[in-house]
């Protein structure tokens, strides 16, 4: 599959009074045309910083390493000017954020806010054409009574409807790549399911690629074709979605999967969790960032970052336990050898 986006050795650091926070520490991946790729991990793993780095929507305290590259349709976004980026944001690459209420202006009618997104890139459209295009977008994302909703304010919309407005805004200029940063986190499961189905339908209709960021593996299974598991600013594992669930290759992925509630589990028992806390990214570990929390960690795990082990196209994992000379004892990936 031909990639529409290629990220190479992305490193993003925040300079704070407490020191340099190494939020993303050299990750590489690509997104194919028409593909839905999920990025999953705990809070603080670097997921959102990755998405913000792609569009350079970072505060002044953030810095992207000069050796990093974010290549979109042949252009390295890290080297473009502000004006060149403006021509891409919203037009070629659009973003849907987690909290639509903080993204929408409470004092401006919703229809006018969506119009503004169109005006930036389509100055030739008349007022009547802009209004009709907004109403068309509202119908596309299944907002009922679009003519009435056009003149309402954000507080008159439910959480799910506000998120649909944000999706309509993101789709206004028919982008080639849509980045959705935890767009269903604040919604109840019924609305969440509707939004996921909406995104899948819109992707099938438009052929756009999607990067979907979440901490919920259930959401990933529902929507994505391939998933990147992030922790400590690194990609721990990459796999097609079915293979990730059937045969995970990293202890962190095993922990995330074990933490997903099941309808068949003992209702009186406690939910499974991963003990410990994420690493301090002002002083990231020299070795595997998950080593202090990993039940299978060896001495080398804390001393040296493991290389990737590849299992085919778009299938890799960063773990010393996968190395050919790794001991079988207490190794979940050497079960046969341990018997």
């Amino acid at each position: 599959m031909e990639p529409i986006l290629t990220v190479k050795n992305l490193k993003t650091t925040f300079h704070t009074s407490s020191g340099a926070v190494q939020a993303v520490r050299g990750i590489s991946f690509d997104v194919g045309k028409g593909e839905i790729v999920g990025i999953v991990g705990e809070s603080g793993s670097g997921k959102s910083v990755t998405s913000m780095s792609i569009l350079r929507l970072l505060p002044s305290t953030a810095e992207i390493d000069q050796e990093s590259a974010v290549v979109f349709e042949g252009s390295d976004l890290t080297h473009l000017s502000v004006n060149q980026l403006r021509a891409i944001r919203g037009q070629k690459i659009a973003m849907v954020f987690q909290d639509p209420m903080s993204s929408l202006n409470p004092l401006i009618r919703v229809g006018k806010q969506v119009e503004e997104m169109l005006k930036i890139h389509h100055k030739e459209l008349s007022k009547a054409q802009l209004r009709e295009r907004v109403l068309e977008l509202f119908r596309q994302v299944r907002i009922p009574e679009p003519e009435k909703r056009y003149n309402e304010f954000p507080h008159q919309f439910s959480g799910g409807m506000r998120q649909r407005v944000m999706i309509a805004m993101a789709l206004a200029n028919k982008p080639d790549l849509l980045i959705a940063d935890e767009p269903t986190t604040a919604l109840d499961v019924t609305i969440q399911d509707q939004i996921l189905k909406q995104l899948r339908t819109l992707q099938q209709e438009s052929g756009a690629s999607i990067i979907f960021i979440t901490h919920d593996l259930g959401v990933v299974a529902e929507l994505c074709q391939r998933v990147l598991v992030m922790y400590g600013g690194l990609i721990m594992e990459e796999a097609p979605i079915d293979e990730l669930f059937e045969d995970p290759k990293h202890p962190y992925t095993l922990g995330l999967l074990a933490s997903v509630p099941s309808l068949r589990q003992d209702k009186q028992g406690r939910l499974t969790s991963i003990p410990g806390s994420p690493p301090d990214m002002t002083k990231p570990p020299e070795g595997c960032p998950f080593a202090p929390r990993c039940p299978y960690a060896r001495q080398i795990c804390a001393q040296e970052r493991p290389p990737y082990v590849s299992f085919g196209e778009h299938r890799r994992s960063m773990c010393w336990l996968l190395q050919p000379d790794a001991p079988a004892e207490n190794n979940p990936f050497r079960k046969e050898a341990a018997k």
Side-chain angles (χ1 to χ4, degrees):
M1 183 182 295
E2 183 182 354
I4 190 171
L5 178 78
T6 300
V7 175
K8 297 178 182 177
N9 195 33
L10 178 63
K11 297 179 183 178
T12 303
T13 302
F14 293 87
H15 299 284
T16 71
S17 57
S18 302
V21 179
Q22 300 176 46
V24 179
R25 299 194 289 146
I27 66 170
S28 300
F29 66 93
D30 57 40
V31 179
K33 290 184 177 180
E35 186 180 27
I36 305 178
V37 175
I39 302 180
V40 67
E42 294 174 280
S43 296
S45 61
K47 310 183 304 296
S48 293
V49 176
T50 297
S51 68
M52 303 293 269
S53 298
I54 290 172
L55 280 173
R56 283 167 50 192
L57 294 172
L58 296 165
S60 58
T61 55
E63 178 186 8
I64 297 176
D65 190 272
Q66 292 183 351
E67 295 181 359
S68 302
V70 178
V71 181
F72 174 74
E73 294 185 341
S75 298
D76 187 349
L77 304 185
T78 64
H79 294 152
L80 297 186
S81 67
V82 173
N83 287 335
Q84 288 172 319
L85 270 175
R86 284 197 187 116
I88 290 175
R89 292 172 182 157
Q91 173 77 354
K92 293 285 189 177
I93 306 176
M95 195 160 184
V96 180
F97 295 95
Q98 177 176 342
D99 182 8
M101 199 58 186
S102 63
S103 302
L104 293 168
N105 190 323
L107 303 178
I108 300 177
R109 299 181 192 276
V110 166
K112 292 297 181 183
Q113 295 192 54
V114 181
E115 271 188 20
E116 285 300 315
M117 181 61 73
L118 286 163
K119 279 182 183 178
I120 293 171
H121 299 285
H122 298 282
K123 299 188 184 338
E124 76 282 0
L125 295 178
S126 66
K127 287 185 178 180
Q129 288 173 320
L130 286 169
R131 178 184 170 86
E132 184 51 43
R133 175 61 178 146
V134 171
L135 294 176
E136 180 186 328
L137 285 164
F138 281 4
R139 296 185 193 103
Q140 189 177 359
V141 298
R142 312 294 192 270
I143 292 178
E145 301 181 280
E147 290 83 3
K148 175 187 173 184
R149 292 293 194 176
Y150 178 93
N151 291 308
E152 291 184 342
F153 291 94
H155 74 270
Q156 295 175 278
F157 284 64
S158 66
M161 283 299 166
R162 284 195 294 267
Q163 197 58 280
R164 287 172 190 259
V165 171
M166 293 304 300
I167 293 172
M169 197 177 292
L171 295 173
N173 296 298
K174 300 179 180 178
D176 298 318
L177 175 63
L178 177 66
I179 301 174
D181 187 2
E182 303 206 43
T184 62
T185 298
L187 307 177
D188 65 58
V189 290
T190 303
I191 303 301
Q192 175 177 283
D193 183 62
Q194 292 175 5
I195 295 295
L196 293 177
K197 288 178 179 177
Q198 190 66 58
L199 283 171
R200 192 187 303 108
T201 300
L202 293 170
Q203 186 276 331
Q204 291 170 349
E205 292 174 352
S206 66
S209 304
I210 297 177
I211 297 176
F212 193 93
I213 297 167
T214 182
H215 62 271
D216 190 338
L217 276 171
V219 171
V220 167
E222 180 76 16
L223 182 69
C224 302
Q225 297 157 294
R226 181 161 54 93
V227 61
L228 310 174
V229 180
M230 285 194 70
Y231 185 82
L234 297 169
I235 294 174
M236 298 285 97
E237 181 166 4
E238 175 184 4
I241 190 65
D242 292 339
E243 294 181 30
L244 185 90
F245 278 83
E246 293 172 7
D247 186 24
K249 294 291 188 183
H250 197 282
Y252 180 58
T253 309
L254 289 172
L256 289 178
L257 289 170
S259 302
V260 177
S262 169
L263 291 174
R264 295 187 293 273
Q265 71 186 50
D266 181 8
K267 303 300 185 292
Q268 305 302 317
R270 294 175 63 87
L271 293 173
T272 303
S273 63
I274 302 175
S277 302
D280 178 0
M281 298 311 291
T282 61
K283 299 175 183 177
E286 292 183 8
C288 174
F290 188 60
R293 305 174 69 187
C294 180
Y296 311 105
R298 308 298 203 270
Q299 186 175 2
I300 191 174
C301 300
Q303 296 173 339
E304 188 177 343
R305 185 188 299 182
Y308 282 110
V309 177
S310 177
F311 301 91
E313 187 180 12
H314 295 310
R315 185 77 165 103
R316 56 177 168 148
S317 183
M318 179 190 287
C319 183
W320 284 115
L321 296 173
L322 297 169
Q323 296 298 317
D325 56 350
E329 184 180 356
N330 192 32
N331 186 340
F333 310 116
R334 293 282 189 276
K335 293 177 182 177
E336 293 300 321
K339 291 180 181 178

